[in-house]
Amino acid sequence: MCTFGPMAKLPDFFDEMYGRGTEPRAPYEAYAKWFGGENNARLLEKSAEAEALFRLIGVTFNVYGDPDASERLIPFDLVPRIIAAQEWAKVARGIEQRVRALNAFLHDIYHRQEIVRAGRLPAEMLALNDAFLPEMIGMSPPGGIYTHIVGTDLVRTDDNEFYVLEDNARTPSGVSYMLENRETMLHMFPELFSKIRVQPVSQYPRSLRRSLSGCVPDACSGRPTLAVLTPGIHNSAYYEHAFLADQMSAELVEGHDLRVVDGRVAMRTTQGYHPIDVLYRRVDDDFLDPLTFNPDSMLGVPGIMDVYRAGGITIANAPGTGIADDKAIYSYMPDIVEFYTGEKAILNNVPTHRCSEPDALKYVLDNLAELVVKEVHGSGGYGMLVGPAASKKEISDFRKKLESNPDNYIAQPTLALSTVPILTEAGLAPRHVDLRPFVLVSPQGIEVTPGGLTRVALSEGSLVVNSSQGGGTKDTWVLEE
Amino acid sequence: MRLTVSHRTHYTYDAPVPYGLQQIRLRPKSRPGQIVEDWAIDVVGGQVEVTFEDEHANTVDLVSFAPNQTEIQITCRGTVDVENMAGVVGHQSGYVPMWLFQRSTALTKTGPLVQSLIDDVTRSDNALETLHGLSDQILNRVPYSTAQSSSELSAEDVLREGRGVCQDHAHVFITVARALGFPARYVSGYLMMDDRAEQDASHAWAEANLPGLGWVGFDISNGISPDGRYVRVATGLDYRGAAPISGMRYGNAVEDMTVSLQVQQQ
């Protein structure tokens, strides 16, 4: 028998399985009943089996800054994260609203900049931002879509409280984990899925294909040719690039496979060069085209921006969308949502102190031990300070960095991230989680896949869930109505 | 003034080039004070792949090399009617925000020598006076000379070298003008030198945006504002954004370039 209470509960945190009490919350009832009939030792065996499965299919992840572990497996925890249909409906509506606003924002900042004219966003937010690409000014991408693929990072703090942490409008990764985690769970616990009705996620690659095909360039004729542009096998997400190309019947290409031929970007095939209509690129803007951006880039495709600007190819996501990932821009998101949708934002934004502002900086320096401080352009959990978890020395070192370059940082209160139990040798134990749902945007509409990637901090009390910092993943279940 | 331009750029390589691209900004536009009567670009040894308008409203052609070429030649020919507007180009139109023209770029970065020039500028209430003064000061510090160490010097490098060509003068001017609070940009184009038909190279100058007047041109190398002898072809934040030809190619072939340019009054 498995014991699931009394769990060593972390005080002051909302647990998604038990809430703030000891009885399972409604979405977890059926699962808790099943779990109660299971044997911990058998589940631990299953856990080892899952790991072997992941190794077999090769889902690995390169971790920067760790030479000993160039290919590491992201730990998988087999206790699912469960979300009720009506909880999800609100989250999905909130994400859709936000993504709609983001696309309108991106179109605006590369055209009339009404939001600046209206005094709702200071021009410096764009002028001082390297992610703003002048080359995109006046350019309208095919189908009017900038962010074809978005991975909105959410955290939950209470029954009805979700916060957006990051919008990830550039190149969100992790969707392969969402799909593989579900596959693995279906394989290991088929009986669970007959007891509990979970909304599927397996349609994602088909939806991705359909969504990208909805944004073909003017030059496309007939059935669109899609390709995934990868920086190559040394990239940490190479597995995912290959996986997605395979799953949506697209070509997997690297920059040197492509050339400009007859006004199109074309890939070499055994029958000569074949034009690509939509390129799902997993190469950053700066490296995308050495003729227009970084001339030293070996990863990109020379001339692709010219072909793009002439209507010969669709680049997903559009160049220049990275500006929406900037954490200082993030702090304006409630205004951005309101400005372009005329509605209040459904999802909360984390209150954000911009250290570029003297009053905010003073507050942040006075309260470092309570705050999370992040680099404005950073990602992956690198270069951040989690005040409550940091040592005195870490805080004082960080203070120096912050003081010498305040513009580079924002600070946020430490959120009481919800927990979901993980399986340990001693039974269930709560660990903090976040959630990255995946969103597809096309002229036909916005589709939020029910579920997403739940990342879980595996060490007790830790609030950093990034896989690059030792986090794991869980399957995410959104229940049927 | 009706000007005819014939501009040929001929590249030769000491080995076949397997693949190469040239991005060219060589199509002048009709605008107040400048009517393009006719204009054609002819490429030998390659083909125009796409043509588009960039963010500065320059018409850009992307040219690819025919496979394994050892030479490629790009020729522009045309007739342009130019009126003397005393350098006044007019107000900014389009979507580019003014702040973009105050951003520093790799070639327009400020260093200690640029800073000392900024400090030395005589500022007058009359912006035109200030900027003409700046133009004179630059030519004084950086006399015209084609003997430079590199073709892409930053403003700071130019002041260190103490001599330069029109491109270098324009970069110093743009950098200092921006520091003084004027949006500024680089212009590439043609100038008919009165004493000859055969010109050495295409020309470059700068434009600054002045309150009330809009964009005004400054040809630092000649100490004047552009008149009826100037054909404005492309603009950008610096040389790289307005370069007549910039390219890339695969392989190790060594490139040699010759330019032949005639600008004549018809």
Side-chain angles (χ1 to χ4, degrees), chain A residues 155-461:
Chain A
V155 295
R156 187 172 193 174
T157 54
D158 213 332
D159 222 350
N160 241 324
E161 292 281 284
F162 287 87
Y163 284 86
V164 177
L165 273 191
E166 286 176 20
D167 289 287
N168 295 312
R170 202 176 336 216
T171 42
S173 60
V175 77
S176 56
Y177 295 99
M178 171 183 85
L179 295 167
E180 298 281 21
N181 288 355
R182 175 60 56 81
E183 187 104 331
T184 302
M185 288 295 280
L186 282 162
H187 176 77
M188 291 195 307
F189 305 109
E191 74 279 12
L192 253 178
F193 289 90
S194 61
K195 286 194 180 74
I196 303 172
R197 288 170 55 231
V198 179
Q199 297 189 37
V201 294
S202 58
Q203 72 283 6
Y204 179 84
R206 274 196 311 282
S207 300
L208 176 59
R209 180 171 182 100
R210 193 175 55 234
S211 188
L212 291 175
S213 301
C215 299
V216 292
D218 291 342
C220 171
S221 56
R223 183 179 152 85
T225 299
L226 273 52
V228 178
L229 176 67
T230 176
I233 53 167
H234 300 294
N235 185 270
S236 66
Y238 179 75
Y239 169 80
E240 179 161 299
H241 308 157
F243 174 87
L244 284 174
D246 177 58
Q247 293 281 306
M248 66 165 172
S249 317
E251 305 294 331
L252 180 67
V253 294
E254 294 182 34
H256 57 77
D257 299 325
L258 306 178
R259 286 189 179 183
V260 176
V261 179
D262 296 332
R264 307 292 307 276
V265 172
M267 65 186 162
R268 203 183 328 232
T269 72
T270 49
Q271 283 105 38
Y273 279 92
H274 183 83
I276 290 168
D277 297 302
V278 183
L279 188 68
Y280 176 17
R281 51 84 180 226
R282 298 291 292 259
V283 168
D284 289 344
D285 287 354
D286 195 35
F287 297 99
L288 191 57
D289 182 351
L291 208 52
T292 294
F293 304 121
N294 183 347
D296 302 324
S297 170
M298 304 292 283
L299 303 175
V301 185
I304 191 173
M305 280 301 288
D306 301 56
V307 174
Y308 180 57
R309 295 206 267 183
I313 191 168
T314 298
I315 301 175
N317 290 349
T321 55
I323 192 160
D325 288 359
D326 181 90
K327 293 185 175 68
I329 295 280
Y330 164 91
S331 66
Y332 288 93
M333 272 310 282
D335 292 311
I336 289 173
V337 170
E338 213 176 305
F339 189 76
Y340 297 105
T341 67
E343 304 158 4
K344 286 260 175 238
I346 297 169
L347 295 170
N348 299 317
N349 224 51
V350 185
T352 301
H353 308 282
R354 296 183 278 266
C355 300
S356 56
E357 297 168 7
D359 289 351
L361 177 64
K362 184 179 181 311
Y363 174 82
V364 172
L365 287 169
D366 288 347
N367 295 280
L368 269 184
E370 278 80 56
L371 296 169
V372 176
V373 190
K374 297 175 180 173
E375 289 183 2
V376 172
H377 311 297
S379 70
Y382 294 97
M384 67 189 269
L385 174 82
V386 181
S391 68
K392 282 221 166 73
K393 166 141 179 27
E394 283 167 331
I395 290 179
S396 80
D397 288 352
F398 204 92
R399 178 184 301 276
K400 285 187 205 119
K401 282 206 289 185
L402 178 55
E403 279 170 335
S404 70
N405 190 9
D407 289 5
N408 195 37
Y409 296 94
I410 55 102
Q412 296 169 334
T414 312
L415 292 180
L417 261 59
S418 64
T419 57
V420 173
I422 62 165
L423 184 73
T424 70
E425 307 232 328
L428 294 180
R431 292 292 185 272
H432 293 292
V433 292
D434 78 351
L435 175 63
R436 176 178 294 179
F438 293 95
V439 190
L440 297 172
V441 189
S442 78
Q444 284 72 46
I446 298 175
E447 188 178 332
V448 188
T449 304
L453 175 66
T454 290
R455 298 186 299 178
V456 54
L458 293 175
S459 41
E460 192 176 344

Side-chain angles (χ1 to χ4, degrees), chain A residues 110-113 123 126-127 129-130 132 134-135 137-138 258-263 291-292 302-303 306-307 309-310, chain B residues 18-19 21 23 25 47 49-55 60 62 64 95-97 99-100 103 237 246-248 250:
Chain A
Y110 289 118
H111 292 83
R112 286 184 51 80
Q113 301 196 345
L126 306 176
N129 198 314
D130 287 340
F132 179 89
E135 292 80 4
I137 294 172
L258 306 178
R259 286 189 179 183
V260 176
V261 179
D262 296 332
L291 208 52
T292 294
D306 301 56
V307 174
R309 295 206 267 183
Chain B
Y19 179 62
L21 296 169
Q23 202 181 52
R25 286 177 169 80
Q47 65 172 15
E49 294 285 352
V50 292
T51 302
F52 66 97
E53 200 167 275
D54 72 10
E55 69 273 22
V60 186
L62 182 71
S64 68
Y95 294 124
V96 177
W99 52 253
L100 196 69
R103 256 193 179 182
L237 298 183
S246 61
M248 60 71 62
Y250 291 167

